[in-house]
Structure formats: structure tokens, C-alpha cells
Amino acid sequence: MNNLSGSASTSLEADPAASTSASTGNRVPAETTPGILLCLAVGVLCMLINHFFSSVSALLMAIVLGALWRNLAPVPHVFDAGVGFSAKKLLRLGIIFLGFQLSLGSIIALGPGVLLVVVLSVALTFLLTAWIGKLMGLGLEQRLLIAIGFSICGAAAVAGAEGTVKAKEHEVATAVGLVVLFGTLMIPAMPALGLLLRLDDRGIGMLVGASTHEVAQVVAGAGSVSAAALAVAVTVKLARVLLLAPVVAGVGVYLRGKHKVQGEKTPPLVPLFILGFLAAVLLRTIFDLPEGFLASASTVQTLLLSAAMFALGLGVHLRSIFSTGIKSLLLGLVATLIIITVAASGTLLFSPA
């Protein structure tokens, strides 16, 4: 499906950036270099812009730039192998470094009420989205990717679970595109909803963190309210990110049994990058890591995830998304409404002190 020499554009239309299985497994480093350098260069550019305009998220900017390029102009085939590498390998390495931002102590300090809301937001959104997607007639892989992306941490969760779910390229591209679409709409909508519900700044931060899809979108939304809202929002969101490990492991267990019955190759129970992510969390929790190391890890994580988000953006072909029919778009809307409802109800009941 991934014809890199190709003259026919349709072979890459579904999702060249996310074609990780075909474009990264059998490529020599020389073929991946142009695409990797392109993604890293765009990541650096987005970080520089964020440095001077802090309200503009580097990750969000990167994925939007990738999507704009993909849909407005042709992407040279020379970049395909490296873009596929970035969408998979750099993304997973970035998630490992993301673990250094998480301390179990800071998450526990949120309190049992807030943690309950986090768990319910993820669990109910995931389960209901997967169930409703089945009722709508969507394939297992597509509905699982949408459920994971919308309940946990957006495009990073979609790409991180792609190997376990064994989804097709166009299914990954569709899930990423939907996360970008609905998550971007939530940036102004969630603070507005918080004001409508008469929440204080910390309450708005909890609402944003418990509902909004992407970490970058959480920062953009809560940052527009106040520093207090941003601090709560990021902590709540990172608590949701922590649930990526058990959710992916659970999906792996389910699919192992399913594929075993069908006589197919079983997917991995827990991907190695998830174990690396958990190891980073434990290191941050157990040891008093130097501030210089944590700052460097944060910079590396932002660069890797920005590069990966640009690569994922290059896989967001809007025509391909809409050509799959209205069902995926409708399921994305339903998933968004579910997590907003659970997060808003939980925030009203357990608003942070």
C-alpha cells in the first residue's frame, strides 16, 4: 500500500505519515533521514514560536502545520519513510520522556474525588465509545482507536495503541484527524462551559484537564484562563495520560484472546514504550531527580512529540476521512459529548479545593 516510488497518488492518500508498519520496518537509515530531519526541523520551529508566543502550543501547531501541508499541497515522496518513522518511533520515545513529567505523588495529591473523576472520564468514554461504535457498524480497530484517543490523550494515544490494535493506515489517519478536529474546538468551548457552570479557575482547570483530548489542547485552553487553572488542568490531564498503560494493556489482553481464536498473530500484551513510560514515572516518583535533568527531559519530550505530531498531521487527509462516511465523524462527536458530560458532572461534584 505504501508505494514510495509511486506515480499514483492514491497509494499514499490514506495516510503516508502513519504508514509505520510498511514505511519503517524495511527502510535503511539513508531513506528515513530526509523525513526525520524535516519533522525535527518543524518541531524546532514550533518550539521557537512557542518560546516567543507562549500561548501557541508547539504540539498543536505542529499537527496543524502537517495537516495543512497534506491537504493544500503535495508532499514529496522522499520524505515518506522518515515521516513514517517519526510518526511511530519518535512518538513512542516522546511518550517515554513524557513520563518524567509525572509524579505519582502529585497525582495522588489531587484527592480521591478528582482521581475518581479522572478514572470515570477515561473508563466511561472508552467503553461507551467502543460500544456505540459497534452499534453503528464501525470496525473493531477503528472504534478502538477513536475510543482510546478521545478518552486518554489524543493523537499520541492513537499512535501509541496502533501497534497493539493492528489498525490500517486510513483508520489511524481518521482517528488522528477526528482528535485534532474536536479537540481544537474544545480549546475555547471548555473554558466557556466552565464559566457557564459558575466554576472558579481551579474548577475550570479540572474540567479542561478531564475532558480535552490533547495535552497541547489542554495547555491552550486552561492557559487562556489563569495560571491556577493551567496547573490543575495539566496535572489532571497527566493523570489521564497515566491510564494509557492499563488501557493499552487491557486492549492487548482482549485482542490476544480474540486473535488466538482466529489463528492470527497475537498483538503484544504491553508495548515496550509503555513499560519505558512507566519506568520514567517511577524514577520521577522515587528519586529526587535534578531540576536540570527534568528541564532537559521536558525539552526533549516536546521536540520529539512536536516532530511526531507534524508527522501525524501529514497523515490527516481530510478527503480520506470524509470518504469513510459519516459514522466515524459522528462517533467522534458522541465520544466528545460523553467525556464532556462525565467531566462536567464530576467537576461539579468534586471541584478541587
Side-chain angles (χ1 to χ4, degrees):
M1 181 175 289
N2 193 20
N3 179 13
L4 295 181
S5 66
S7 51
S9 61
T10 54
S11 65
L12 287 169
E13 188 171 274
D15 181 15
S19 59
T20 54
S21 60
S23 64
T24 62
N26 300 313
R27 294 288 168 188
V28 296
E31 290 183 324
T32 62
T33 299
I36 294 173
L37 291 178
L38 171 67
C39 293
L40 289 173
V42 173
V44 170
L45 174 63
C46 292
M47 291 176 67
L48 286 173
I49 295 174
N50 171 258
H51 178 74
F52 293 103
F53 303 96
S54 57
S55 61
V56 181
S57 165
L59 275 66
L60 184 59
M61 190 187 329
I63 200 167
V64 169
L65 286 176
L68 287 175
W69 187 354
R70 166 54 55 191
N71 290 278
L72 296 178
V75 180
H77 292 307
V78 68
F79 296 126
D80 288 336
V83 166
F85 181 95
S86 300
K88 182 177 182 180
K89 303 296 185 181
L90 295 189
L91 183 282
R92 294 182 175 190
L93 189 57
I95 290 177
I96 292 174
F97 275 90
L98 179 62
F100 288 111
Q101 290 191 23
L102 277 163
S103 166
L104 293 180
S106 64
I107 292 175
I108 293 173
L110 290 171
V114 178
L115 292 178
L116 177 62
V117 174
V118 168
V119 172
L120 288 177
S121 294
V122 171
L124 291 177
T125 302
F126 175 81
L127 294 172
L128 288 175
T129 300
W131 176 63
I132 293 171
K134 182 177 181 180
L135 295 180
M136 293 171 62
L138 282 172
L140 175 63
E141 292 80 7
Q142 184 69 90
R143 63 179 186 263
L144 282 178
L145 286 181
I146 293 174
I148 289 172
F150 279 65
S151 63
I152 303 175
C153 58
V158 171
E162 175 246 343
T164 299
V165 174
K166 294 189 176 297
K168 297 180 178 65
E169 297 169 10
H170 71 87
E171 292 170 332
V172 176
T174 297
V176 169
L178 291 173
V179 162
V180 174
L181 173 63
F182 287 104
T184 301
L185 294 175
M186 294 174 80
I187 293 174
M190 290 303 95
L193 177 60
L195 292 175
L196 186 64
L197 295 176
R198 300 181 182 275
L199 298 173
D200 59 16
D201 284 4
R202 289 174 59 82
I204 293 175
M206 176 178 168
L207 173 62
V208 172
S211 62
T212 306
H213 304 321
E214 293 272 358
V215 174
Q217 294 159 349
V218 167
V219 172
S224 67
V225 178
S226 70
L230 180 60
V232 174
V234 170
T235 306
V236 171
K237 179 60 178 178
L238 291 179
R240 280 173 62 196
V241 172
L242 188 60
L243 294 177
L244 177 63
V247 170
V248 170
V251 169
V253 170
Y254 171 74
L255 291 180
R256 270 173 93 87
K258 181 178 177 62
H259 285 250
K260 201 171 201 177
V261 170
Q262 295 176 352
E264 300 176 11
K265 182 180 178 181
T266 57
L269 181 59
V270 182
L272 285 177
F273 81 96
I274 292 293
L275 296 178
F277 168 78
L278 292 175
V281 173
L282 290 176
L283 284 173
R284 172 70 189 270
T285 302
I286 297 172
F287 299 103
D288 186 17
L289 299 177
E291 288 298 323
F293 171 80
L294 294 176
S296 298
S298 177
T299 300
V300 172
Q301 169 246 316
T302 303
L303 174 60
L304 292 171
L305 290 183
S306 295
M309 290 301 108
F310 177 71
L312 290 171
L314 285 174
V316 178
H317 201 300
L318 294 178
R319 185 172 64 181
S320 186
I321 292 174
F322 288 109
S323 69
T324 62
I326 197 66
K327 290 182 180 179
S328 295
L329 187 65
L330 183 58
L331 184 60
L333 174 61
V334 169
T336 299
L337 293 177
I338 290 172
I339 199 165
I340 289 174
T341 301
V342 176
S345 302
T347 302
L348 289 172
L349 289 173
F350 302 103
S351 186

